[in-house]
């Protein structure tokens, strides 16, 4: 019944009656921009008042934003955490204030009872799938540059783990250098320039933890007089539209999909939470791999 309070003392509410505070990492990648857009558009569609805080890729900005949401007394807090650690005191504070927290796109290193639910992709699977693909493509013979995402994010750790697991089965596949490009195109390019110069003639593959870094790396490979997609095989993760364009130009070989369109699922979940219904602790958003041969046929139906 609408008048009954739940165990935390919350009265059931409708989506159109609530205020949601959303702390986003920033706008580091095409994926992230699609993620923000999906959540903002869905909020508007469902008449939810959304307070959007752009963390500019700084962990402390996000902590401050969430503390601000708690002080304001919003109904639900949504966090897409730039970094996985350092969230416990803030999450405890939200819990003490009776404000449910929903995590989207990345997880946190904290006890599960400090948040309601987390919606993410299977990041270990993504890394493993990329590694398996590269093993097949190179007949298990690859000298690889790995462009790592933000090191303090669970997604980067897990994509690294999955890939390492897959290539460990192939003694002639070696990571020559592994460095962070912070999930951005600019840093992916800069890091690739340095690593290509340091390992001239040695590299035949790049594994980037996201498409943006791969697209930056492709520019660096071309600037070094090499052909990305031929001299150097390039595989990344996300499957954003610019990656499909690069595949159609023959410069990117494959991308593993990580779907950023969390808006509909997020607000279905928040709807249940504010009505006092139970939600699963974790929802895995599924993905698939796309190779460049599929790009032309698939690009028209890519939603992001
Ligand atoms: O958390 C998901 C990752 O963050 C995406 O793969 C990446 O592009 C983004 O910045």
């Amino acid at each position: 019944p609408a008048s009954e309070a739940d165990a935390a003392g919350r009265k059931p509410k409708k989506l159109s009656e609530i205020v949601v505070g959303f702390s986003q990492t920033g706008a580091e990648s095409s994926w992230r921009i699609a993620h923000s857009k999906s959540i903002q558009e869905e909020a508007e569609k469902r008449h939810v008042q959304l307070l959007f805080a752009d963390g500019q890729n700084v962990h402390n900005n996000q902590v401050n934003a969430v503390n601000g949401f708690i002080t304001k007394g919003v109904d639900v807090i949504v966090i897409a955490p730039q970094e996985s650690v350092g969230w416990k005191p803030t999450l405890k504070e939200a819990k003490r204030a009776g404000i449910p927290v929903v995590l989207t796109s990345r997880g946190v290193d904290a006890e599960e009872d400090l948040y309601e639910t987390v919606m993410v992709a299977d990041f270990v699977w993504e890394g493993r799938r990329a590694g398996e693909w590269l093993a097949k493509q190179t007949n298990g013979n690859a000298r690889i540059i790995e462009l790592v995402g933000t090191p303090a994010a669970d997604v980067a750790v897990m994509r690294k783990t999955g890939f390492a697991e897959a290539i460990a089965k192939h003694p002639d596949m070696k990571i020559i250098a592994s460095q962070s490009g912070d999930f951005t195109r600019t840093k992916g390019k800069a890091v690739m320039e340095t690593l290509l110069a340091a390992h001239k003639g040695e590299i035949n593959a790049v594994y980037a933890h996201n498409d943006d870094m791969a697209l930056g790396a492709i520019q660096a490979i071309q600037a070094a007089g090499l052909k990305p997609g031929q001299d150097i095989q390039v595989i990344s993760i996300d499957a954003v539209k610019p990656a499909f364009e690069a595949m159609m130009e023959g410069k990117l070989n494959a991308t593993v999909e990580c779907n950023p369109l969390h808006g509909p699922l997020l607000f279905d979940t928040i709807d249940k939470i504010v009505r006092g219904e139970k939600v699963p602790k974790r929802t895995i958003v599924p993905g698939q791999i796309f190779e460049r041969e599929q790009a032309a046929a698939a690009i028209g139906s890519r939603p992001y």
Side-chain angles (χ1 to χ4, degrees):
S3 58
E4 256 175 38
D6 70 3
R10 293 183 297 242
K11 291 248 170 64
K13 281 189 178 174
K14 285 194 212 134
L15 278 184
S16 57
E17 298 167 347
I18 66 166
V19 178
V20 175
F22 173 32
S23 166
Q24 176 61 290
T25 55
E28 72 279 4
S29 62
S30 318
W31 190 99
R32 188 61 59 188
I33 291 162
H35 180 247
S36 293
K37 192 166 170 252
S38 168
I39 292 172
Q40 286 168 316
E41 284 181 356
E42 197 64 26
E44 217 180 302
K45 209 161 122 190
R46 303 203 193 194
H47 310 289
V48 178
Q49 199 190 326
L50 186 75
L51 309 177
F52 181 85
D54 179 344
Q56 316 240 328
N57 302 103
V58 177
H59 172 73
N60 282 345
N61 288 350
Q62 288 200 280
V63 170
N64 290 340
V66 173
N67 285 333
F69 292 148
I70 298 170
T71 310
K72 266 199 186 88
V74 300
D75 297 286
V76 177
I77 292 172
V78 176
I79 308 174
Q82 164 84 359
E83 298 183 5
S84 306
V85 288
W87 280 105
K88 282 188 198 178
T90 314
L91 294 180
K92 280 184 184 156
E93 202 46 44
K95 190 170 180 173
R96 201 196 49 77
I99 304 174
V101 172
V102 176
L103 303 169
T104 168
S105 86
R106 297 179 188 170
V108 293
D109 186 9
E111 292 83 358
E112 282 194 349
D113 69 324
L114 292 177
Y115 55 88
E116 298 292 318
T117 185
V118 54
M119 44 194 72
V120 281
D122 184 343
F123 302 131
V124 176
W125 174 84
E126 290 171 344
R128 198 185 302 127
R129 191 68 194 88
E132 286 165 356
W133 180 88
L134 192 60
K136 196 160 171 242
Q137 183 79 357
T138 61
N139 289 319
N141 195 319
R143 289 156 310 283
I144 309 157
I145 284 180
E146 180 185 29
L147 296 174
V148 177
T150 302
D154 63 344
V155 51
V157 176
M158 289 158 109
R159 284 177 180 168
K160 187 174 185 49
T161 304
F163 186 79
E165 219 176 273
I167 67 164
K169 298 183 183 124
H170 305 273
D172 292 325
M173 290 184 83
K174 296 239 163 349
I175 296 180
I176 302 298
S178 175
Q179 210 171 301
S180 172
D182 261 336
F183 283 126
T184 71
R185 202 181 282 214
T186 324
K187 204 144 176 233
K189 179 171 182 263
V191 169
M192 191 65 194
E193 277 165 2
T194 311
L195 293 179
L196 268 180
H199 301 280
K200 246 196 173 106
E202 231 182 303
I203 306 302
N204 70 346
V206 169
Y207 162 50
H209 287 194
N210 81 344
D211 289 341
D212 280 73
M213 291 190 293
L215 295 169
I218 285 170
Q219 290 174 9
I221 295 168
Q222 284 177 310
L226 296 165
K227 286 200 170 79
Q230 277 184 43
D231 300 327
I232 298 186
Q233 301 289 312
V234 187
I235 173 142
S236 52
I237 298 173
D238 276 356
V240 294
K241 254 200 187 133
F244 279 76
E245 282 154 13
M247 288 198 287
M248 284 167 69
E249 291 165 4
K251 296 173 183 170
L252 179 73
N253 298 86
T255 181
V256 180
E257 182 185 38
C258 177
N259 189 339
L261 307 180
H262 289 193
L265 172 66
L266 178 70
F267 286 101
D268 282 350
T269 305
I270 291 177
D271 189 25
K272 287 191 182 131
I273 293 170
V274 295
R275 284 175 192 277
E277 289 173 32
K278 265 207 116 27
V279 294
K281 243 319 147 193
R282 171 173 290 264
T283 306
I284 298 291
V285 183
Q288 58 176 309
I289 191 163
F290 290 95
E291 298 182 287
R292 71 178 176 195
E293 292 71 23
Q294 300 165 274
I299 193 165
S301 56
R302 293 306 294 162
Y304 59 92

